[in-house]
Amino acid sequence: MTNKLQIILGGVFLAAAAIALPLDAAHASEGGELKHVNWSFNGPFGTFDRAQLKRGFQVYREVCSACHSVKFMSYRNLSEAGGPEYTDAETKTIAATNKVMDGPDRDGEMFERPAEPKDRIVKPFPNDNAARAANNGALPPDLSLMTKARHDGPNYVYSILTGYADAPEGVVMADGMNYNHYFPGQQIAMPPPLSDDQVTYEDGAPATLDQMAQDVSAFLTWTAEPKLEDRHKLGLKVVLFLIVFAGLLFASYKRIWKDQH
Ligand code: HEC
């Protein structure tokens, strides 16, 4: 093989590898070393577990949505391919349990109506000041992009939710703060949101703290990247293409140079 061909083939395989392997640079975080879950969506071919996304949405809806919004999601996203995939009827029912402001009507008045699939998932507070006022001055951040905004997001959210403990001796806690091993600075304004059997899962799964933390972290991974499955499928196609392409290159090289020595 000539050097040139080796370089071409090497380049093609390197490109394939770069697409197939998510580059995960080691990162030192200020919080403790994160716990790691073996997520179904990990790796280049990973997919979401629909039942898990449904459970995660249930946890979000029954617990987290008291304080946190997911402002980039609409109810209809819940029935789209690649997500929890509720049926359209289920999504309609879920949406209708919330109220939204609409209007003005013919008399110029604003009015409340049940939410519809086209509406954004209803936020707990009308604005940040109201959210702060209800939470001792701390702002519960929007969670739609949280798993993208933090390094190793799914494991970060999972670790925070399962990382509460009594403050070690000698650590002075500020007023209203809770000790959490994984939050930068170890003092978090969010009270521990989950405890065993906090929700009763519609699919009958045991609602342990650990299970709920995993499920809601998976759900928030989907809200941050609703097209994750499409991206993984495309990655697979690109890798297959590159392998076939490398084979073709090699075959044509053989052919073109077959009489040269
Ligand atoms: C009672 C209100 C409340 C509930 C319920 C609640 N949170 Fe929070 N959460 C907060 C507040 C306030 C903060 C900001 C903490 C801070 O800045 O110290 C926060 C912070 C967070 C953070 C850390 C964000 C960061 O900046 O790194 C995550 C992740 C989070 N919440 C997830 C959740 C999830 C998931 C649930 C549901 C299981 C939930 N929260 C339920 C009030 C709440």
Side-chain angles (χ1 to χ4, degrees):
M1 231 192 271
T2 64
N3 284 343
K4 251 188 213 153
L5 185 75
Q6 276 172 333
I7 290 170
I8 293 176
L9 285 183
V12 169
F13 278 114
L14 273 183
I19 290 165
L21 306 169
L23 299 173
D24 191 22
H27 238 258
S29 84
E30 301 163 65
E33 188 71 30
L34 298 180
K35 300 194 226 178
H36 280 261
V37 175
N38 189 15
W39 302 106
S40 67
F41 48 81
N42 274 352
F45 312 126
T47 53
F48 288 117
D49 170 347
R50 310 276 160 241
Q52 177 164 58
L53 291 186
K54 285 189 174 128
R55 289 195 304 271
F57 174 64
Q58 194 185 342
V59 174
Y60 167 75
R61 189 178 171 203
E62 292 182 19
V63 185
C64 323
S65 73
C67 302
H68 293 278
S69 54
V70 281
K71 65 180 175 192
F72 294 116
M73 303 311 281
S74 300
Y75 292 102
R76 68 179 162 73
N77 297 131
L78 296 169
S79 52
E80 283 168 0
E85 297 183 359
Y86 285 102
T87 63
D88 290 344
E90 285 167 337
T91 300
K92 233 178 167 170
T93 314
I94 290 169
T97 58
N98 299 276
K99 294 245 179 315
V100 291
M101 270 303 202
D102 202 347
D105 63 13
R106 248 188 274 174
D107 303 322
E109 303 290 339
M110 303 299 284
F111 60 93
E112 269 196 343
R113 61 161 172 81
E116 293 168 24
K118 63 170 196 223
D119 292 311
R120 293 293 169 112
I121 291 185
V122 171
K123 306 189 280 186
F125 302 105
N127 54 59
D128 286 359
N129 288 355
R132 279 208 174 84
N135 284 282
N136 263 330
L139 179 69
D142 183 79
L143 293 181
S144 9
L145 299 177
M146 183 55 73
T147 63
K148 285 261 174 198
R150 300 284 178 268
H151 173 65
D152 199 6
N155 286 320
Y156 172 76
V157 174
Y158 167 75
S159 297
I160 292 274
L161 295 174
T162 55
Y164 287 91
D166 292 334
E169 223 162 299
V171 174
V172 183
M173 300 299 291
D175 230 16
M177 298 299 258
N178 307 276
Y179 186 84
N180 190 302
H181 191 58
Y182 301 97
F183 194 65
Q186 277 73 44
Q187 307 209 15
I188 187 166
M190 169 167 68
L194 295 174
S195 52
D196 287 340
D197 295 318
Q198 181 122 8
V199 304
T200 304
Y201 276 134
E202 281 154 17
D203 69 359
T208 58
L209 165 58
D210 195 79
Q211 185 67 50
M212 289 181 288
Q214 289 193 27
D215 294 346
V216 77
S217 303
F219 172 72
L220 293 173
T221 305
W222 170 73
T223 64
E225 201 185 346
K227 300 282 174 218
L228 174 141
E229 293 188 1
D230 284 352
R231 180 168 62 80
H232 284 180
K233 275 185 214 149
L234 182 67
L236 176 64
K237 280 186 203 151
V238 170
V239 170
L240 285 177
F241 168 78
L242 286 173
I243 290 169
V244 171
F245 187 62
L248 280 176
L249 269 185
F250 185 68
S252 41
Y253 155 81
K254 282 287 208 198
R255 219 187 146 118
I256 292 167
W257 293 90
K258 69 173 185 289
D259 300 327
Q260 307 289 322
H261 297 288

